[in-house]
Amino acid sequence: AKQAGRNTVRFFDQQMQDAVTARVALEGELHKALDRQQFRLHYQIQVDASGRPLGAEALIRWMHPERGLVPPDQFIGMAEETDLILPIGQWVMDTACAQLKTWQQHAPTRDLVLAVNVSATQFHQLDFVFQVRATVQRHAIDPKLLKLELTESMLLENIEDTIRTMNALKEIGVQFSLDDFGTGYSSLQYLKRLPLDQIKIDQSFVRDIASDSNDREIVGTIIAMAQNLYLDVIAEGVETEEQRQFLQDNGCTHFQGYLFGKPVPVEQFEAMLQPDRAS
Ligand code: C2E
Ligand code: CA
Ligand code: CA
Ligand code: CA
């Protein structure tokens, strides 16, 4: 038993060693990914209750030459720890605004709102307001079409600074959505103080709507709360017509999920908007 125990320890040592090596390698490659133009934005459609396109969420993708497509969950955390999220976040903002500019010039995409994910590190930079304003101006876009997705935990960090930052951006017309809502601890009391436009119901509550009466209750409460604050509500991770129907019956007005479309490259996204498309 002693011998086996020692082997087990050695086995885990080796596994940990491998994990560390893999991590260091990935981090090295992440440093070069921007220069090598390996990032892409994919766009996931957001619709209203009648299925009409309202906008999209921009989701980053890392196209690695050997590893293939690396999903954000495998590198965003690392990017945050190393502050690489700052140049990457700026690249996302720039690319999103350039895309909005193109959309503004054509009929079917003219009014689409583009939601961009902002990380805590980015948001708490002293020059965040300046950077967003400069990017919006550089691309000459209507700031109302840009929606920043923030999470509860990052807003709680320093509520007074948060409110100041949000108000400064609100002044130029930028919109705010509270991402992953329901997973944190925000009270109505404090939500009231934030100049939000939208609350996004986390997909973990949407997933089990059909089977879990607790989740149905939570979703109903979140929507009622949003209505009390005069905020839009969007549900993410909507995969079935049953989920969509329940959400709509309870007052949800905006929808996002595989039921309407997966995140796709811009050409594919634009093709989805053509009224004469097949199927
Ligand atoms: P998120 O902001 O909560 O994004 C929603 C995630 O759910 C996306 O995963 C999306 O592809 C996925 N999703 C959408 N519809 C469905 C559905 O119907 N069913 C299921 N099961 N999943 C669905 P993705 O693209 O892998 O992104 C993961 C996370 O990475 C995002 O979560 C966000 O926190 C982060 N992220 C993505 N892009 C960016 C970015 O540009 N900047 C920052 N800071 N974070 C980003
Ligand atoms: Ca998001
Ligand atoms: Ca989310
Ligand atoms: Ca999430």
Side-chain angles (χ1 to χ4, degrees), residues 179-180 202-203 236:
D179 203 357
D180 302 340
D202 190 66
Q203 58 186 65
E236 69 177 353

Side-chain angles (χ1 to χ4, degrees), residues 42-160:
H42 281 188
Y43 299 86
Q44 186 176 32
I45 197 166
Q46 300 180 337
V47 303
D48 69 10
S50 65
R52 194 173 63 95
L54 299 170
E57 178 177 2
L59 293 155
I60 196 169
R61 299 289 180 261
W62 181 8
M63 303 297 187
H64 192 283
E66 287 99 40
R67 296 169 195 265
L69 196 150
V70 186
D73 286 337
Q74 281 175 36
F75 68 88
I76 287 291
M78 184 183 282
E80 276 166 356
E81 286 162 31
T82 55
D83 277 357
L84 274 172
I85 195 67
L86 295 174
I88 294 174
Q90 184 52 48
W91 176 86
V92 169
M93 197 73 77
D94 249 311
T95 308
C97 289
Q99 190 56 63
L100 270 174
K101 183 66 192 171
T102 307
W103 284 351
Q104 265 182 246
Q105 289 156 352
H106 306 283
T109 52
R110 201 186 303 281
D111 303 318
L112 293 180
V113 172
L114 186 53
V116 171
N117 292 284
V118 174
S119 85
T121 315
Q122 250 182 306
F123 182 81
H124 290 298
Q125 287 294 297
L126 287 175
D127 64 349
F128 181 67
V129 172
F130 175 86
Q131 292 296 348
V132 174
R133 201 190 288 132
T135 309
V136 162
Q137 283 168 358
R138 190 163 55 248
H139 294 279
I141 55 148
D142 179 355
K144 285 187 212 64
L145 301 178
L146 179 65
K147 184 179 278 178
L148 303 184
E149 294 201 1
L150 313 173
T151 57
E152 290 172 77
S153 55
M154 65 194 258
L155 301 182
L156 277 168
E157 259 174 54
N158 185 335
I159 184 91
E160 301 305 331

Side-chain angles (χ1 to χ4, degrees), residues 7-276:
N7 282 338
T8 308
V9 169
R10 209 174 292 132
F11 175 67
F12 280 119
D13 275 353
Q14 188 57 49
Q15 270 197 333
M16 274 163 67
Q17 185 65 51
D18 291 349
V20 169
T21 307
R23 212 191 128 83
V24 169
L26 194 68
E27 194 182 308
E29 288 160 39
L30 190 60
H31 275 277
K32 300 174 198 146
L34 258 185
D35 275 351
R36 296 183 174 171
Q37 305 188 336
Q38 291 170 349
F39 293 118
R40 303 284 181 277
L41 286 187
H42 281 188
Y43 299 86
Q44 186 176 32
I45 197 166
Q46 300 180 337
V47 303
D48 69 10
S50 65
R52 194 173 63 95
L54 299 170
E57 178 177 2
L59 293 155
I60 196 169
R61 299 289 180 261
W62 181 8
M63 303 297 187
H64 192 283
E66 287 99 40
R67 296 169 195 265
L69 196 150
V70 186
D73 286 337
Q74 281 175 36
F75 68 88
I76 287 291
M78 184 183 282
E80 276 166 356
E81 286 162 31
T82 55
D83 277 357
L84 274 172
I85 195 67
L86 295 174
I88 294 174
Q90 184 52 48
W91 176 86
V92 169
M93 197 73 77
D94 249 311
T95 308
C97 289
Q99 190 56 63
L100 270 174
K101 183 66 192 171
T102 307
W103 284 351
Q104 265 182 246
Q105 289 156 352
H106 306 283
T109 52
R110 201 186 303 281
D111 303 318
L112 293 180
V113 172
L114 186 53
V116 171
N117 292 284
V118 174
S119 85
T121 315
Q122 250 182 306
F123 182 81
H124 290 298
Q125 287 294 297
L126 287 175
D127 64 349
F128 181 67
V129 172
F130 175 86
Q131 292 296 348
V132 174
R133 201 190 288 132
T135 309
V136 162
Q137 283 168 358
R138 190 163 55 248
H139 294 279
I141 55 148
D142 179 355
K144 285 187 212 64
L145 301 178
L146 179 65
K147 184 179 278 178
L148 303 184
E149 294 201 1
L150 313 173
T151 57
E152 290 172 77
S153 55
M154 65 194 258
L155 301 182
L156 277 168
E157 259 174 54
N158 185 335
I159 184 91
E160 301 305 331
D161 282 355
T162 291
I163 292 171
R164 212 171 307 126
T165 300
M166 288 178 78
N167 278 334
L169 288 169
K170 202 73 251 179
E171 241 166 66
I172 63 169
V174 170
Q175 298 195 56
F176 291 106
S177 181
L178 190 52
D179 203 357
D180 302 340
F181 190 74
T183 58
Y185 303 94
S186 357
S187 68
L188 200 64
Q189 201 52 28
Y190 120 92
L191 269 188
K192 239 174 30 184
R193 302 185 57 201
L194 303 177
L196 290 166
D197 299 278
Q198 182 179 72
I199 278 175
K200 195 175 224 187
I201 304 175
D202 190 66
Q203 58 186 65
S204 61
F205 303 113
V206 175
R207 191 185 308 127
D208 302 322
I209 273 177
S211 59
D212 190 332
S213 63
N214 266 329
D215 284 350
R216 282 198 293 275
E217 195 115 344
I218 291 168
V219 166
T221 306
I222 291 174
I223 295 171
M225 184 161 132
Q227 287 171 340
N228 264 313
L229 297 168
Y230 301 101
L231 301 176
D232 282 348
V233 196
I234 184 164
E236 69 177 353
V238 182
E239 294 184 355
T240 69
E241 173 53 28
E242 192 178 9
Q243 291 165 344
R244 195 202 67 79
Q245 192 63 55
F246 174 86
L247 289 158
Q248 191 189 334
D249 289 347
N250 282 272
C252 187
T253 50
H254 297 50
F255 308 84
Q256 179 182 346
Y258 296 165
L259 181 63
F260 314 97
K262 294 194 169 179
V264 288
V266 70
E267 306 77 37
Q268 248 168 289
F269 176 78
E270 288 172 357
M272 291 169 61
L273 302 172
Q274 298 309 316
D276 60 335

